[in-house]
Amino acid sequence: MRIDIEERVFHFKQPAGTSRGVYRERKSWILTVGDGRGHVGVGECAPLPDLSCDASPFYMKTLRMFCDMVERTGEIPYEQMRPYPSMLFGLETAFWDLGFGERSEIFSIPINGLVWMGTFEEMYQRIKEKLDGGFHCVKLKIGAIDWERELELIRFIRSQFPKEQIELRVDANGGFSPDEAMERLEQLAQYDIHSIEQPIRQHQWAEMARLCKETPLPIALDEELIGVNLPQMKAALLDTIRPQYIILKPSLHGGMRGCREWIQMARERGIGSWITSALESNIGLYSIAHFCAEVYGPDIKMPQGLGTGMLFTDNVKMPLEVRGERLWVKSEE
């Protein structure tokens, strides 16, 4: 077995703004696994700087070390790789692509329309484009411009489109302080918001538990799950905070195996979940779409966060297509 690593940089069509800053390019490490008999599988390792628990200046060196281990043994060292979710995801998807996993010929998944942070005018125009494109679930990145302006934007959307027409999700990316969070949740709740992701920064379990207990609208954890890799830590987090939802990104939350653990533990506690991409290229997105269909079944009703395939000017060609509010996954061409 041989594993080659290629570093790739993908460029956003337009700057992707979050409360943590603006992304203009995206670096990934593409793995190509050969079995020595002419078959290859391709996977993607895509850590997010300042967010992934395994992002470091020594990323390539560490990734090469794990790839060397896999070359020698022919197996992924899952337990050793728990602290390295993006590397684990890349190896998992490369092995899956090599033929270790089953895939459907063609299927589709409902997705939300993602509206990046920007000025009021920019966000308004982006929302209009999503609605004109047929989306019935729109996710807004909030927390970067003036709060009253963001609230005005949400108020305007609701004045035009009731909740029966448009499901609104918001993602604060930890942008609220604990002192102001409850007041802002109460303001948002007036506009029939489906859920809010990560209202305050992670690692504030007591404050987040209080918010989840008293919130007037459902709270979904995202960044809070990063770095929580051991089963006993996952159970402690869910039992302490008791969120309404968790949102899973395989590159951030333990690869596919780690996400399966999260989903099972959440189900046991009556906590909902959905899956999103983490700004991977189409290589990673293709694998995540298949994983999503596997864990939730072929008839998924809840919109997933997989509408990121059109973000880059130089994306990898894969059998993926967004038609309206659904991501269509076709057999490989």
Side-chain angles (χ1 to χ4, degrees), residues 47-59 83-87:
L48 283 167
D50 302 320
L51 187 60
S52 296
C53 64
D54 55 355
S56 83
F58 310 104
Y59 190 88
Y84 305 93
S86 67
M87 300 182 197

Side-chain angles (χ1 to χ4, degrees), residues 13 40 43 45 51 68 108 113 157 168 171 208 210-211 287 329:
K13 293 179 179 178
V40 298
C45 304
L51 187 60
D68 290 345
S108 69
I157 297 169
L168 282 179
D171 183 1
M208 188 68 85
R210 177 183 64 82
L211 288 175
S287 299
V329 184

Side-chain angles (χ1 to χ4, degrees), residues 53-55 66 78-86 88 227 229-230:
C53 64
D54 55 355
F66 282 122
Y78 284 103
E79 290 304 314
Q80 289 175 260
M81 294 192 71
R82 279 186 181 273
Y84 305 93
S86 67
L88 176 56
N229 299 311
L230 298 175

Side-chain angles (χ1 to χ4, degrees), residues 39-326:
H39 304 110
V40 298
V42 179
E44 179 178 10
C45 304
L48 283 167
D50 302 320
L51 187 60
S52 296
C53 64
D54 55 355
S56 83
F58 310 104
Y59 190 88
M60 178 64 172
K61 182 178 179 180
T62 306
L63 177 59
R64 184 68 260 175
M65 178 192 71
F66 282 122
C67 289
D68 290 345
M69 292 174 61
V70 175
E71 284 181 342
R72 291 193 302 269
T73 66
E75 297 180 353
I76 298 173
Y78 284 103
E79 290 304 314
Q80 289 175 260
M81 294 192 71
R82 279 186 181 273
Y84 305 93
S86 67
M87 300 182 197
L88 176 56
F89 175 70
L91 283 167
E92 284 180 311
T93 54
F95 268 60
W96 173 82
D97 192 46
L98 190 59
F100 284 76
E102 296 181 1
R103 64 191 71 185
S104 301
E105 287 301 310
I106 184 168
F107 60 93
S108 69
I109 297 172
I111 58 176
N112 60 247
L114 178 60
V115 175
W116 292 100
M117 289 178 174
T119 65
F120 181 94
E121 291 74 18
E122 287 171 339
M123 293 183 73
Y124 173 77
Q125 183 59 37
R126 291 167 189 170
I127 291 169
K128 187 175 185 302
E129 290 171 1
K130 295 300 179 185
L131 299 181
D132 290 344
F135 284 91
H136 292 87
C137 177
V138 175
K139 173 180 167 180
L140 305 178
K141 292 277 189 178
I142 62 173
I145 64 175
D146 178 74
W147 169 246
E148 292 302 323
R149 292 281 280 171
E150 289 180 332
L151 204 60
E152 181 183 345
L153 183 64
I154 292 170
R155 185 183 302 116
F156 176 78
I157 297 169
R158 270 291 170 251
S159 71
Q160 303 296 310
F161 304 97
K163 65 179 181 179
E164 290 78 16
Q165 285 184 273
I166 295 294
E167 178 180 286
L168 282 179
R169 300 175 180 177
V170 296
D171 183 1
N173 284 126
F176 301 161
S177 72
D179 292 338
E180 69 190 4
M182 184 57 71
E183 179 182 358
R184 293 191 173 184
L185 293 179
E186 290 171 349
Q187 290 175 301
L188 287 169
Q190 301 175 47
Y191 303 107
D192 297 309
I193 304 298
H194 171 271
S195 57
I196 180 170
E197 295 180 35
Q198 203 68 42
I200 63 175
R201 290 197 179 276
Q202 64 265 47
H203 310 313
Q204 302 179 84
W205 285 20
E207 291 292 342
M208 188 68 85
R210 177 183 64 82
L211 288 175
C212 288
K213 182 178 180 179
E214 300 174 2
T215 183
L217 73 159
I219 290 176
L221 301 186
D222 181 354
E223 288 92 339
E224 196 74 64
L225 312 181
I226 297 172
V228 182
N229 299 311
L230 298 175
Q232 58 268 35
M233 293 173 62
K234 295 177 180 180
L237 183 149
L238 294 175
D239 289 337
T240 299
I241 298 179
R242 304 297 302 184
Q244 284 74 37
Y245 294 103
I246 58 173
I247 301 172
L248 297 163
K249 298 177 172 70
S251 290
L252 295 178
H253 301 135
M256 293 188 287
R257 176 173 288 197
C259 285
R260 286 191 185 94
E261 286 182 350
W262 277 116
I263 291 168
Q264 180 59 35
M265 290 183 177
R267 285 173 174 168
E268 291 169 354
R269 292 162 174 79
I271 297 169
S273 67
W274 68 87
I275 292 172
T276 79
S277 58
L279 305 181
E280 296 90 353
S281 76
N282 279 340
I283 294 173
L285 182 60
Y286 184 68
S287 299
I288 294 171
H290 279 276
F291 174 66
C292 186
E294 175 192 333
V295 295
Y296 294 132
D299 189 25
I300 302 171
K301 301 298 184 186
M302 177 178 282
Q304 308 291 302
L306 304 182
T308 56
M310 305 291 288
L311 291 178
F312 304 112
T313 60
D314 45 5
N315 213 333
V316 178
K317 181 175 173 56
M318 295 291 285
L320 296 168
E321 182 183 355
V322 174
R323 300 182 207 159
E325 60 180 353
R326 302 188 75 88

